[in-house]
Amino acid sequence: MNANTQHNPKIVCNHIWKIFGTNPEKTLRDLDHSLTRSQVQEQTGHVIGIRDMSFVVDQGETFVVMGLSGSGKSTLARCLSRLIEPTAGEVLIDGADVIKMNNHELTELRRNKMSMVFQHFGLFPHRTIIENIAFGLEIKGIKKQQRLEKASEVLEMVGLGGWQDNYPRELSGGMQQRVGLARAMAVDPEILIFDEPFSALDPLIRREMQDELLSLQENLKKTMVFITHDFLEAIKMGDHIAIMKDGVTSQIGTAEDIVSTPADAYVREFTEDVPRYRVLSVGKVMLPARNVSLSDGGPVVSKNDKLDSLIDILASCDNPCCVVDESGELCGEINKSIMLKAMSTRV
């Protein structure tokens, strides 16, 4: 995750609704808000895809939208770029409302500011890898030599140097997804939207792609919206996570917030099998500093350190560790007992 995100809103969604049916605007206008999704469908014949969803994505952060099939997460991803038209609400990108954009403005947004990466790679089988990657630049009217140079640069970035003259059919699924990622990055977008990009890959390749994307994000610091149905992937990738159910947001927060204080039983189910020591920070579980002092010369850890980084330290130390805040002041202590408790199934 990107620990250095700027607190500067890049995407602001205000009260987004998407209702599928023949007359969604009237359905929303007459809606009894106490009704569930299934009740609305039964009474009106319309389906609520997204229900009054609001959130903010800061510039340079990865915002993960997580939910099971039918939760509305992919519908939301498509509403951000208006591949699906929202029924109501605002999607502000750098303060401009995407929903009010005309066709020309929307085309410019998709060509220059925003790219999408889907689960199904959508590569052109008759084009070489380098030509696939350069496609977005071709659409923008970039001259051939310049776009091939840029495509080659991105090809190296995603670890596919030497494959530029091959065709998609000659690449594995993981390699094809790297091409899809490279094609999205070649136009140098400010925003990348990923709709379950790794879900069709084998587990090992999936982890490699997650690590690759995290590594790229460390250097590029793009604003990313990442859709997934896998909670472990969500906590690995996301600076903030929105958990959706039936078109509604159950909880939005950091992985640590969600694991330590799940908002409801639905969220709690996802967190039960999470290795908490990889998510929780020292500050979440430390005790007041009663038995330690910075002058003791013992181990000192930051309250922002993840618990898994303390395993070796506490294993070789019988005494509690000092915990310091951002300014280096003593703010608590942590010992083996607290660590073992935090590593248990529940905290």
Side-chain angles (χ1 to χ4, degrees), residues 145-225:
Q145 185 59 35
Q146 186 178 348
R147 67 178 184 254
L148 290 179
E149 288 175 0
K150 177 63 177 178
S152 296
E153 176 186 324
V154 178
L155 188 73
E156 293 288 340
M157 195 182 298
V158 299
L160 287 178
W163 290 88
Q164 62 271 9
D165 296 325
N166 292 81
Y167 288 87
R169 64 180 178 274
E170 299 172 308
L171 274 61
S172 68
M175 294 170 75
Q176 289 184 36
Q177 190 58 289
R178 288 174 186 266
V179 177
L181 175 59
R183 183 174 60 186
M185 292 170 50
V187 296
D188 197 22
E190 298 171 24
I191 298 169
L192 282 161
I193 300 177
F194 297 87
D195 189 5
E196 301 206 58
F198 309 143
S199 61
L201 303 177
D202 293 336
L204 179 59
I205 303 300
R206 184 174 187 168
R207 287 195 296 272
E208 288 178 358
M209 287 300 299
Q210 292 167 355
D211 293 340
E212 183 78 24
L213 185 56
L214 288 170
S215 177
L216 288 169
Q217 177 66 341
E218 273 296 311
N219 297 318
L220 300 176
K221 295 179 173 56
K222 300 292 185 182
T223 302
M224 302 199 303
V225 178

Coordinates of all heavy atoms in Angstrom, one line a residue, residues 145-225:
Q145 N 6.6 6.4 -34.4 CA 7.9 6.2 -33.7 C 7.8 6.5 -32.3 O 8.3 5.8 -31.4 CB 9.0 7.0 -34.4 CG 10.4 6.7 -33.9 CD 10.8 5.3 -34.0 OE1 10.5 4.6 -34.9 NE2 11.5 4.8 -32.9
Q146 N 7.1 7.6 -32.0 CA 7.0 8.1 -30.6 C 6.2 7.1 -29.8 O 6.5 6.8 -28.6 CB 6.4 9.5 -30.6 CG 6.3 10.1 -29.2 CD 5.7 11.5 -29.2 OE1 5.5 12.1 -30.3 NE2 5.4 12.0 -28.1
R147 N 5.1 6.6 -30.3 CA 4.2 5.7 -29.6 C 4.9 4.3 -29.4 O 4.7 3.7 -28.3 CB 2.9 5.5 -30.2 CG 2.8 4.9 -31.5 CD 1.3 4.8 -32.0 NE 1.1 4.0 -33.2 CZ 0.9 4.6 -34.4 NH1 0.7 5.9 -34.5 NH2 0.7 3.8 -35.5
L148 N 5.7 3.9 -30.3 CA 6.4 2.6 -30.1 C 7.5 2.8 -29.1 O 7.8 1.8 -28.3 CB 7.0 2.2 -31.5 CG 6.0 1.7 -32.5 CD1 6.7 1.3 -33.8 CD2 5.2 0.5 -32.0
E149 N 8.1 3.9 -29.0 CA 9.1 4.2 -28.0 C 8.5 4.1 -26.6 O 9.0 3.5 -25.7 CB 9.8 5.5 -28.2 CG 10.8 5.5 -29.4 CD 11.4 6.9 -29.7 OE1 11.0 7.8 -29.0 OE2 12.2 7.0 -30.7
K150 N 7.4 4.8 -26.5 CA 6.7 4.8 -25.2 C 6.2 3.4 -24.8 O 6.3 3.0 -23.7 CB 5.5 5.8 -25.3 CG 4.6 5.9 -24.0 CD 5.4 6.4 -22.8 CE 4.6 6.5 -21.6 NZ 5.4 6.9 -20.4
A151 N 5.6 2.7 -25.8 CA 5.2 1.3 -25.6 C 6.3 0.4 -25.1 O 6.1 -0.4 -24.2 CB 4.5 0.8 -26.8
S152 N 7.5 0.6 -25.7 CA 8.6 -0.2 -25.3 C 9.1 0.1 -23.9 O 9.4 -0.8 -23.2 CB 9.8 0.1 -26.3 OG 9.5 -0.3 -27.6
E153 N 9.0 1.3 -23.5 CA 9.4 1.7 -22.2 C 8.4 1.1 -21.2 O 8.9 0.6 -20.1 CB 9.3 3.3 -22.1 CG 9.5 3.8 -20.7 CD 9.3 5.3 -20.7 OE1 9.5 6.0 -21.7 OE2 8.7 5.8 -19.7
V154 N 7.1 1.1 -21.4 CA 6.2 0.5 -20.5 C 6.3 -1.0 -20.5 O 6.1 -1.7 -19.5 CB 4.7 1.0 -20.9 CG1 3.7 0.3 -20.0 CG2 4.6 2.5 -20.8
L155 N 6.6 -1.6 -21.7 CA 6.8 -3.0 -21.8 C 7.9 -3.5 -20.8 O 7.7 -4.5 -20.1 CB 7.1 -3.4 -23.2 CG 7.2 -4.9 -23.6 CD1 5.8 -5.4 -23.7 CD2 7.9 -5.1 -24.9
E156 N 9.0 -2.8 -20.8 CA 10.0 -3.1 -19.9 C 9.6 -2.9 -18.4 O 9.9 -3.7 -17.6 CB 11.2 -2.2 -20.1 CG 11.9 -2.4 -21.5 CD 12.7 -3.7 -21.5 OE1 13.0 -4.2 -20.4 OE2 13.0 -4.2 -22.6
M157 N 8.8 -1.9 -18.2 CA 8.3 -1.6 -16.8 C 7.5 -2.8 -16.2 O 7.6 -3.1 -15.0 CB 7.5 -0.3 -16.8 CG 7.2 0.3 -15.5 SD 6.2 1.8 -15.6 CE 7.2 2.8 -16.7
V158 N 6.7 -3.5 -17.1 CA 5.9 -4.6 -16.6 C 6.6 -5.9 -16.8 O 5.9 -7.0 -16.6 CB 4.5 -4.6 -17.3 CG1 3.8 -3.3 -17.0 CG2 4.6 -4.8 -18.8
G159 N 7.9 -5.9 -17.1 CA 8.6 -7.2 -17.1 C 8.4 -8.0 -18.4 O 8.6 -9.2 -18.3
L160 N 8.1 -7.4 -19.5 CA 7.9 -8.2 -20.7 C 8.9 -7.8 -21.8 O 8.6 -8.0 -23.0 CB 6.4 -8.0 -21.2 CG 5.4 -8.7 -20.4 CD1 4.0 -8.4 -21.0 CD2 5.6 -10.2 -20.4
G161 N 10.0 -7.3 -21.5 CA 11.0 -6.9 -22.5 C 11.4 -8.1 -23.3 O 11.6 -9.2 -22.8
G162 N 11.5 -8.0 -24.6 CA 11.8 -9.1 -25.5 C 10.6 -9.7 -26.1 O 10.7 -10.6 -27.0
W163 N 9.4 -9.4 -25.7 CA 8.1 -10.0 -26.2 C 7.4 -9.1 -27.1 O 6.3 -9.4 -27.5 CB 7.2 -10.4 -25.0 CG 7.8 -11.5 -24.2 CD1 8.6 -11.5 -23.1 CD2 7.5 -12.9 -24.4 NE1 8.9 -12.7 -22.6 CE2 8.2 -13.6 -23.4 CE3 6.8 -13.7 -25.3 CZ2 8.2 -15.0 -23.3 CZ3 6.7 -15.1 -25.2 CH2 7.5 -15.7 -24.2
Q164 N 8.0 -8.0 -27.5 CA 7.3 -7.0 -28.3 C 6.7 -7.5 -29.6 O 5.7 -7.0 -30.1 CB 8.1 -5.8 -28.5 CG 9.4 -6.0 -29.3 CD 10.5 -6.4 -28.4 OE1 10.4 -6.6 -27.2 NE2 11.7 -6.4 -29.0
D165 N 7.4 -8.4 -30.3 CA 7.0 -8.9 -31.6 C 6.1 -10.2 -31.6 O 5.7 -10.7 -32.6 CB 8.2 -9.2 -32.5 CG 9.0 -7.9 -32.7 OD1 8.4 -6.8 -32.8 OD2 10.3 -8.0 -32.7
N166 N 5.8 -10.7 -30.4 CA 4.9 -11.8 -30.3 C 3.5 -11.4 -30.3 O 3.2 -10.2 -30.3 CB 5.2 -12.5 -28.9 CG 6.6 -13.2 -28.9 OD1 7.6 -12.6 -28.6 ND2 6.6 -14.5 -29.2
Y167 N 2.6 -12.4 -30.5 CA 1.2 -12.1 -30.5 C 0.5 -12.6 -29.2 O 1.1 -13.5 -28.5 CB 0.5 -12.8 -31.7 CG 0.9 -12.2 -33.0 CD1 2.1 -12.5 -33.7 CD2 0.1 -11.2 -33.5 CE1 2.4 -11.9 -34.9 CE2 0.4 -10.5 -34.7 CZ 1.6 -10.9 -35.4 OH 1.9 -10.2 -36.6
P168 N -0.6 -12.1 -28.8 CA -1.3 -12.5 -27.6 C -1.4 -14.0 -27.4 O -1.2 -14.5 -26.2 CB -2.6 -11.8 -27.6 CG -2.4 -10.6 -28.5 CD -1.4 -11.0 -29.5
R169 N -1.7 -14.7 -28.4 CA -1.9 -16.2 -28.3 C -0.7 -16.9 -27.8 O -0.7 -18.1 -27.4 CB -2.4 -16.8 -29.6 CG -1.4 -16.7 -30.7 CD -1.9 -17.3 -32.1 NE -0.9 -17.1 -33.1 CZ -0.9 -16.0 -33.9 NH1 -1.7 -15.0 -33.7 NH2 0.0 -16.0 -34.9
E170 N 0.5 -16.3 -28.0 CA 1.8 -16.9 -27.6 C 2.1 -16.6 -26.2 O 3.2 -17.1 -25.7 CB 2.9 -16.4 -28.6 CG 2.6 -16.7 -30.0 CD 3.6 -16.0 -31.0 OE1 3.8 -14.8 -30.9 OE2 4.2 -16.8 -31.8
L171 N 1.3 -15.9 -25.4 CA 1.6 -15.5 -24.1 C 0.7 -16.2 -23.1 O -0.5 -16.5 -23.4 CB 1.4 -14.0 -23.9 CG 2.6 -13.1 -24.2 CD1 3.0 -13.2 -25.7 CD2 2.3 -11.6 -23.9
S172 N 1.2 -16.4 -21.9 CA 0.3 -17.0 -20.8 C -0.7 -16.0 -20.4 O -0.6 -14.8 -20.7 CB 1.2 -17.5 -19.7 OG 1.7 -16.3 -19.0
G173 N -1.7 -16.5 -19.5 CA -2.7 -15.6 -19.0 C -2.1 -14.4 -18.2 O -2.5 -13.3 -18.3
G174 N -1.1 -14.7 -17.4 CA -0.5 -13.7 -16.6 C 0.3 -12.7 -17.4 O 0.2 -11.5 -17.1
M175 N 0.9 -13.2 -18.5 CA 1.6 -12.3 -19.4 C 0.7 -11.4 -20.1 O 0.9 -10.2 -20.3 CB 2.5 -13.1 -20.3 CG 3.7 -13.8 -19.6 SD 4.5 -15.0 -20.7 CE 5.5 -13.8 -21.7
Q176 N -0.5 -12.0 -20.5 CA -1.5 -11.2 -21.2 C -2.0 -10.1 -20.3 O -2.3 -9.0 -20.8 CB -2.6 -12.1 -21.7 CG -2.2 -13.0 -22.9 CD -3.4 -13.8 -23.4 OE1 -4.5 -13.3 -23.4 NE2 -3.1 -15.0 -23.8
Q177 N -2.2 -10.4 -19.1 CA -2.7 -9.4 -18.2 C -1.7 -8.3 -18.0 O -2.0 -7.1 -17.8 CB -3.1 -10.0 -16.8 CG -3.8 -9.0 -15.9 CD -5.1 -8.5 -16.5 OE1 -5.1 -7.7 -17.4 NE2 -6.2 -8.9 -15.9
R178 N -0.4 -8.6 -18.0 CA 0.7 -7.6 -18.0 C 0.6 -6.7 -19.2 O 0.8 -5.5 -19.1 CB 2.1 -8.2 -17.9 CG 2.4 -8.9 -16.6 CD 3.7 -9.6 -16.7 NE 4.0 -10.3 -15.4 CZ 4.7 -9.9 -14.4 NH1 5.2 -8.7 -14.5 NH2 4.9 -10.6 -13.3
V179 N 0.2 -7.3 -20.3 CA 0.1 -6.4 -21.6 C -1.1 -5.5 -21.4 O -1.1 -4.3 -21.7 CB -0.1 -7.3 -22.8 CG1 -0.4 -6.5 -24.0 CG2 1.1 -8.2 -23.0
G180 N -2.2 -6.0 -20.8 CA -3.4 -5.2 -20.5 C -3.0 -4.0 -19.6 O -3.5 -2.9 -19.8
L181 N -2.2 -4.3 -18.6 CA -1.8 -3.3 -17.7 C -0.9 -2.3 -18.4 O -1.1 -1.0 -18.2 CB -1.0 -3.9 -16.5 CG -0.4 -3.0 -15.5 CD1 -1.4 -2.1 -14.9 CD2 0.3 -3.8 -14.4
A182 N 0.0 -2.8 -19.2 CA 0.9 -1.9 -20.0 C 0.1 -1.0 -20.9 O 0.5 0.2 -21.1 CB 2.0 -2.7 -20.7
R183 N -0.9 -1.5 -21.6 CA -1.7 -0.7 -22.5 C -2.4 0.4 -21.8 O -2.4 1.5 -22.3 CB -2.7 -1.6 -23.2 CG -3.5 -0.9 -24.2 CD -4.4 -1.9 -25.0 NE -5.4 -2.6 -24.1 CZ -6.2 -3.6 -24.5 NH1 -6.2 -4.0 -25.8 NH2 -7.0 -4.1 -23.6
A184 N -2.9 0.1 -20.6 CA -3.6 1.2 -19.8 C -2.6 2.2 -19.4 O -2.9 3.4 -19.3 CB -4.2 0.5 -18.6
M185 N -1.3 1.8 -19.0 CA -0.4 2.7 -18.5 C 0.3 3.6 -19.6 O 0.9 4.6 -19.3 CB 0.7 2.0 -17.7 CG 0.2 1.4 -16.4 SD 1.4 0.3 -15.6 CE 2.8 1.3 -15.6
A186 N 0.3 3.1 -20.8 CA 1.1 3.7 -21.9 C 0.6 5.1 -22.1 O 1.4 6.0 -22.5 CB 1.0 2.9 -23.2
V187 N -0.7 5.4 -21.9 CA -1.2 6.7 -22.2 C -1.0 7.7 -21.0 O -1.4 8.8 -21.0 CB -2.7 6.7 -22.5 CG1 -3.0 6.0 -23.8 CG2 -3.5 6.0 -21.4
D188 N -0.3 7.1 -20.0 CA 0.1 7.9 -18.8 C -1.1 8.5 -18.1 O -1.2 9.7 -17.9 CB 1.1 8.9 -19.1 CG 1.8 9.5 -17.9 OD1 1.9 8.8 -16.8 OD2 2.4 10.6 -17.9
P189 N -2.1 7.7 -17.8 CA -3.3 8.3 -17.2 C -3.1 8.7 -15.7 O -2.2 8.2 -15.0 CB -4.3 7.1 -17.2 CG -3.5 5.9 -17.1 CD -2.2 6.2 -17.8
E190 N -3.9 9.6 -15.3 CA -3.8 10.0 -13.9 C -4.6 9.0 -13.0 O -4.3 8.9 -11.8 CB -4.4 11.4 -13.7 CG -3.6 12.5 -14.4 CD -4.3 13.8 -14.4 OE1 -5.1 14.1 -13.5 OE2 -4.1 14.6 -15.3
I191 N -5.6 8.4 -13.6 CA -6.5 7.5 -12.8 C -6.5 6.1 -13.5 O -6.7 6.0 -14.7 CB -7.9 8.0 -12.7 CG1 -7.9 9.3 -12.0 CG2 -8.8 7.0 -12.1 CD1 -9.2 10.1 -12.1
L192 N -6.3 5.0 -12.8 CA -6.4 3.7 -13.3 C -7.6 3.0 -12.5 O -7.6 3.0 -11.3 CB -5.1 2.9 -13.1 CG -4.0 3.2 -14.0 CD1 -2.6 2.8 -13.5 CD2 -4.2 2.5 -15.4
I193 N -8.5 2.4 -13.3 CA -9.6 1.6 -12.7 C -9.4 0.2 -13.1 O -9.4 -0.2 -14.3 CB -10.9 2.2 -13.2 CG1 -11.1 3.7 -12.8 CG2 -12.1 1.4 -12.6 CD1 -12.3 4.3 -13.3
F194 N -9.3 -0.7 -12.1 CA -9.1 -2.1 -12.3 C -10.4 -2.8 -11.9 O -10.8 -2.8 -10.7 CB -8.0 -2.6 -11.4 CG -6.6 -2.0 -11.8 CD1 -6.2 -0.8 -11.2 CD2 -5.8 -2.6 -12.7 CE1 -5.0 -0.3 -11.5 CE2 -4.5 -2.1 -13.0 CZ -4.1 -0.9 -12.4
D195 N -11.0 -3.6 -12.8 CA -12.2 -4.3 -12.5 C -11.9 -5.8 -12.4 O -11.8 -6.5 -13.4 CB -13.3 -4.1 -13.6 CG -14.6 -4.7 -13.2 OD1 -14.7 -5.2 -12.0 OD2 -15.6 -4.6 -14.0
E196 N -11.6 -6.3 -11.2 CA -11.2 -7.7 -11.0 C -10.1 -8.2 -12.0 O -10.3 -9.2 -12.6 CB -12.4 -8.6 -11.0 CG -13.5 -8.2 -10.0 CD -14.3 -9.4 -9.5 OE1 -13.7 -10.4 -9.0 OE2 -15.5 -9.3 -9.7
P197 N -9.0 -7.4 -12.1 CA -8.1 -7.7 -13.1 C -7.3 -9.1 -13.0 O -6.9 -9.6 -14.0 CB -7.1 -6.6 -13.0 CG -7.1 -6.2 -11.6 CD -8.6 -6.4 -11.2
F198 N -7.2 -9.6 -11.8 CA -6.4 -10.8 -11.6 C -7.2 -12.0 -11.2 O -6.7 -13.1 -10.9 CB -5.4 -10.5 -10.5 CG -4.6 -9.3 -10.6 CD1 -4.2 -8.5 -9.6 CD2 -4.2 -8.9 -11.9 CE1 -3.4 -7.4 -9.7 CE2 -3.4 -7.7 -12.1 CZ -3.0 -7.0 -11.0
S199 N -8.6 -11.9 -11.2 CA -9.4 -13.0 -10.7 C -9.4 -14.2 -11.5 O -9.7 -15.3 -11.1 CB -10.8 -12.5 -10.5 OG -11.4 -12.1 -11.7
A200 N -9.0 -14.1 -12.8 CA -9.0 -15.3 -13.7 C -7.6 -16.0 -13.7 O -7.4 -17.0 -14.4 CB -9.3 -14.9 -15.1
L201 N -6.7 -15.4 -12.9 CA -5.3 -16.0 -12.9 C -5.1 -17.0 -11.9 O -5.8 -17.0 -10.8 CB -4.3 -14.9 -12.7 CG -4.4 -13.7 -13.7 CD1 -3.4 -12.6 -13.4 CD2 -4.1 -14.2 -15.2
D202 N -4.2 -17.9 -12.1 CA -3.8 -18.9 -11.1 C -3.3 -18.2 -9.8 O -2.7 -17.1 -9.9 CB -2.7 -19.9 -11.6 CG -3.2 -20.8 -12.7 OD1 -4.5 -21.0 -12.7 OD2 -2.4 -21.2 -13.5
P203 N -3.5 -18.8 -8.6 CA -3.1 -18.1 -7.4 C -1.7 -17.5 -7.3 O -1.4 -16.4 -6.9 CB -3.3 -19.2 -6.3 CG -4.4 -20.0 -6.9 CD -4.1 -20.1 -8.4
L204 N -0.7 -18.3 -7.8 CA 0.7 -17.9 -7.8 C 0.9 -16.7 -8.7 O 1.5 -15.7 -8.3 CB 1.6 -19.0 -8.2 CG 3.1 -18.7 -8.2 CD1 3.6 -18.2 -6.9 CD2 4.0 -19.9 -8.7
I205 N 0.3 -16.8 -9.9 CA 0.5 -15.6 -10.9 C -0.3 -14.4 -10.3 O 0.2 -13.3 -10.5 CB -0.1 -16.0 -12.3 CG1 0.6 -17.3 -12.8 CG2 0.0 -14.9 -13.2 CD1 2.1 -17.1 -13.0
R206 N -1.4 -14.7 -9.7 CA -2.2 -13.6 -9.1 C -1.4 -12.8 -8.1 O -1.3 -11.6 -8.1 CB -3.5 -14.1 -8.5 CG -4.4 -13.1 -8.0 CD -5.7 -13.7 -7.5 NE -6.7 -12.7 -7.1 CZ -7.9 -13.0 -6.9 NH1 -8.4 -14.2 -7.1 NH2 -8.8 -12.0 -6.6
R207 N -0.7 -13.5 -7.2 CA 0.1 -12.9 -6.2 C 1.3 -12.1 -6.8 O 1.6 -11.0 -6.4 CB 0.7 -13.9 -5.2 CG -0.3 -14.4 -4.2 CD 0.3 -15.1 -3.1 NE 1.1 -16.3 -3.5 CZ 0.5 -17.5 -3.6 NH1 -0.8 -17.7 -3.4 NH2 1.3 -18.6 -4.0
E208 N 1.9 -12.7 -7.9 CA 2.9 -12.0 -8.6 C 2.4 -10.7 -9.2 O 3.1 -9.6 -9.2 CB 3.5 -12.9 -9.7 CG 4.3 -14.0 -9.2 CD 4.8 -14.9 -10.3 OE1 4.5 -14.7 -11.5 OE2 5.6 -15.9 -10.0
M209 N 1.2 -10.7 -9.8 CA 0.7 -9.5 -10.4 C 0.3 -8.5 -9.3 O 0.5 -7.3 -9.6 CB -0.6 -9.9 -11.2 CG -0.3 -10.6 -12.5 SD 0.8 -9.6 -13.7 CE -0.3 -8.2 -14.0
Q210 N -0.2 -8.9 -8.2 CA -0.5 -8.0 -7.1 C 0.8 -7.3 -6.7 O 0.9 -6.0 -6.5 CB -1.1 -8.7 -5.9 CG -2.5 -9.2 -6.1 CD -2.9 -10.2 -5.1 OE1 -2.1 -10.6 -4.2 NE2 -4.1 -10.7 -5.1
D211 N 1.9 -8.1 -6.5 CA 3.2 -7.5 -6.1 C 3.7 -6.6 -7.1 O 4.3 -5.5 -6.8 CB 4.2 -8.6 -5.8 CG 3.8 -9.4 -4.6 OD1 3.0 -9.0 -3.7 OD2 4.3 -10.6 -4.5
E212 N 3.6 -6.9 -8.4 CA 4.0 -6.1 -9.5 C 3.3 -4.7 -9.5 O 3.9 -3.7 -9.6 CB 3.8 -6.8 -10.8 CG 4.3 -6.1 -12.1 CD 5.8 -6.2 -12.2 OE1 6.4 -7.2 -11.7 OE2 6.4 -5.4 -12.9
L213 N 2.0 -4.8 -9.3 CA 1.2 -3.5 -9.3 C 1.6 -2.7 -8.1 O 1.7 -1.5 -8.2 CB -0.3 -3.9 -9.3 CG -1.2 -2.7 -9.4 CD1 -0.9 -1.8 -10.7 CD2 -2.7 -3.1 -9.5
L214 N 1.8 -3.3 -6.9 CA 2.2 -2.5 -5.8 C 3.6 -1.9 -6.0 O 3.8 -0.7 -5.6 CB 2.2 -3.4 -4.5 CG 0.9 -3.9 -4.0 CD1 1.1 -5.0 -2.9 CD2 0.1 -2.7 -3.4
S215 N 4.4 -2.6 -6.6 CA 5.8 -2.1 -6.9 C 5.7 -0.9 -7.9 O 6.3 0.1 -7.7 CB 6.7 -3.2 -7.5 OG 7.9 -2.7 -7.8
L216 N 4.9 -1.0 -8.9 CA 4.7 0.1 -9.9 C 4.1 1.3 -9.2 O 4.5 2.4 -9.4 CB 3.8 -0.4 -11.0 CG 4.4 -1.4 -12.0 CD1 3.4 -2.0 -12.9 CD2 5.5 -0.7 -12.8
Q217 N 3.1 1.0 -8.3 CA 2.5 2.1 -7.6 C 3.4 2.9 -6.7 O 3.3 4.1 -6.5 CB 1.2 1.6 -6.8 CG 0.5 2.6 -6.0 CD -0.2 3.7 -6.8 OE1 0.1 3.9 -8.0 NE2 -1.2 4.4 -6.2
E218 N 4.4 2.2 -6.1 CA 5.3 2.9 -5.3 C 6.1 4.0 -6.1 O 6.4 5.0 -5.5 CB 6.4 1.9 -4.7 CG 6.0 1.2 -3.5 CD 5.9 2.1 -2.3 OE1 6.8 2.9 -2.1 OE2 4.8 2.1 -1.6
N219 N 6.3 3.7 -7.3 CA 7.1 4.6 -8.2 C 6.2 5.6 -8.9 O 6.5 6.8 -9.0 CB 7.9 3.9 -9.2 CG 9.0 3.0 -8.6 OD1 9.6 3.4 -7.6 ND2 9.1 1.8 -9.1
L220 N 5.0 5.2 -9.4 CA 4.2 6.0 -10.2 C 3.2 6.8 -9.4 O 2.8 7.9 -9.9 CB 3.4 5.1 -11.2 CG 4.3 4.3 -12.2 CD1 3.5 3.4 -13.0 CD2 5.2 5.2 -13.0
K221 N 2.7 6.3 -8.3 CA 1.8 7.0 -7.5 C 0.5 7.5 -8.2 O 0.1 8.6 -8.1 CB 2.4 8.1 -6.7 CG 3.5 7.7 -5.7 CD 4.2 8.8 -5.0 CE 5.1 8.2 -3.9 NZ 6.1 7.3 -4.4
K222 N 0.0 6.6 -9.0 CA -1.3 6.9 -9.7 C -2.5 6.8 -8.7 O -2.4 6.2 -7.6 CB -1.5 5.9 -10.8 CG -0.5 5.8 -11.9 CD -0.4 7.1 -12.7 CE 0.6 7.0 -13.9 NZ 0.6 8.2 -14.7
T223 N -3.6 7.4 -9.1 CA -4.8 7.2 -8.3 C -5.5 6.0 -8.9 O -5.8 6.0 -10.1 CB -5.7 8.5 -8.5 OG1 -5.0 9.6 -8.0 CG2 -7.0 8.3 -7.6
M224 N -5.7 5.0 -8.0 CA -6.3 3.8 -8.5 C -7.5 3.4 -7.8 O -7.6 3.5 -6.5 CB -5.2 2.6 -8.4 CG -3.9 2.9 -9.1 SD -2.9 1.5 -9.4 CE -2.7 0.8 -7.7
V225 N -8.5 2.9 -8.5 CA -9.7 2.3 -8.0 C -9.6 0.8 -8.4 O -9.6 0.5 -9.6 CB -11.0 2.9 -8.5 CG1 -12.2 2.2 -8.0 CG2 -11.0 4.4 -8.2

